[in-house]
Amino acid sequence: MMCASVKSSTRGPALIPRMKTRHRIYYVALFSIVLLGLIATGMFQFWPHSIESSNDWTVEKHSIHDVPVIKIPAESAIPERGDLSCRMHTCFDVYRCGFNPKNKIKVYIYSLKKYVDEYGMPVSHTISREYNELLTAISDSDFYTDDMNRACLFVPSIDVLNQNTLRIKETAQALAQLSRWDRGTNHLLFNMLPGGPPDYNTALDVPRDR
């Protein structure tokens, strides 16, 4: 989760640094994208066992059985563990967001793929209904773009809403293989269940660099 840092001062309350109008627009639009994702998933957070598998359709309206299969070698690179101190100025590159003449942040969704290990075993379960609906909400919005060269934010099609359905190491390796990963810069991961019962963690355990 990303948020802007606040500098403290001995002469008074903390003040948010002044931003250029253009950057302010980017931050407001970024907040809107995150809010959209939270709204799409928030209704399910009190029903942790309601995350259901969507076996038939994907956000691209293709059969789940028709997606490409990507084999992950055991020696594939593993990202570093996520930095919980991640802030806007350390994990977000605003200079990637200047491609739109209307100053509107654009979001790219990676094409759905099925990741398997060297033995053909899936890295995670089929994409959940909730994550499918989240991706659909983004793709139907004005913020969506199918051109990754014009995108400011990137949303993997790898479903990490429920950590209990993931193979931690292999999921991290799959994230690292995304074409624009770059240590997770400008990538949004949505998670509702970090860890397993009875002690749910406060953050996703999948190593994700930033």
Side-chain angles (χ1 to χ4, degrees), residues 51-55 64 112-115 122-128 157-160 162-167 171:
I51 299 180
E52 300 177 2
S53 175
S54 177
N55 294 317
I64 192 70
L112 185 64
K113 296 179 175 62
K114 181 179 180 180
Y115 292 92
V123 169
S124 63
H125 291 180
T126 306
I127 185 171
S128 65
S157 58
I158 301 172
D159 185 353
V160 295
N162 184 355
Q163 182 176 304
N164 296 319
T165 66
L166 306 176
R167 296 169 62 185
T171 299

Side-chain angles (χ1 to χ4, degrees), residues 195-201:
D199 299 320
Y200 290 96
N201 301 330

Side-chain angles (χ1 to χ4, degrees), residues 13-137:
L15 299 176
I16 297 177
R18 296 181 62 183
M19 297 182 291
K20 294 182 180 180
T21 301
R22 184 179 182 183
H23 290 179
R24 189 181 301 114
I25 294 174
Y26 290 149
Y27 293 144
V28 171
L30 174 62
F31 174 78
S32 300
I33 293 295
V34 174
L35 182 62
L36 179 65
L38 292 176
I39 291 175
T41 60
M43 66 181 66
F44 302 104
Q45 64 181 343
F46 298 109
W47 292 274
H49 301 292
S50 69
I51 299 180
E52 300 177 2
S53 175
S54 177
N55 294 317
D56 297 324
W57 301 97
T58 73
V59 68
E60 298 169 334
K61 302 300 184 294
H62 298 306
S63 171
I64 192 70
H65 304 291
D66 296 335
V67 300
V69 176
I70 305 298
K71 182 175 291 186
I72 302 177
E75 66 276 8
S76 296
I78 303 175
E80 297 178 2
R81 182 168 178 79
D83 183 6
L84 296 182
S85 64
C86 180
R87 296 294 182 266
M88 179 71 73
H89 66 280
T90 59
C91 298
F92 182 74
D93 184 2
V94 69
Y95 297 104
R96 293 186 179 184
C97 305
F99 300 105
N100 193 294
K102 296 182 179 179
N103 291 327
K104 180 181 295 184
I105 279 185
K106 288 295 185 180
V107 185
Y108 175 81
I109 300 175
Y110 286 94
S111 298
L112 185 64
K113 296 179 175 62
K114 181 179 180 180
Y115 292 92
V116 299
D117 62 17
E118 292 183 326
Y119 304 99
M121 299 299 294
V123 169
S124 63
H125 291 180
T126 306
I127 185 171
S128 65
R129 179 182 302 174
E130 287 78 7
Y131 197 61
N132 189 29
E133 291 175 354
L134 189 153
L135 296 183
T136 300

Side-chain angles (χ1 to χ4, degrees), residues 172-189:
Q173 291 174 318
L175 289 172
Q177 292 192 8
L178 297 175
S179 57
R180 297 296 178 94
W181 181 244
D182 188 21
R183 300 190 67 246
T185 301
N186 289 27
H187 281 67
L188 296 179
L189 299 179

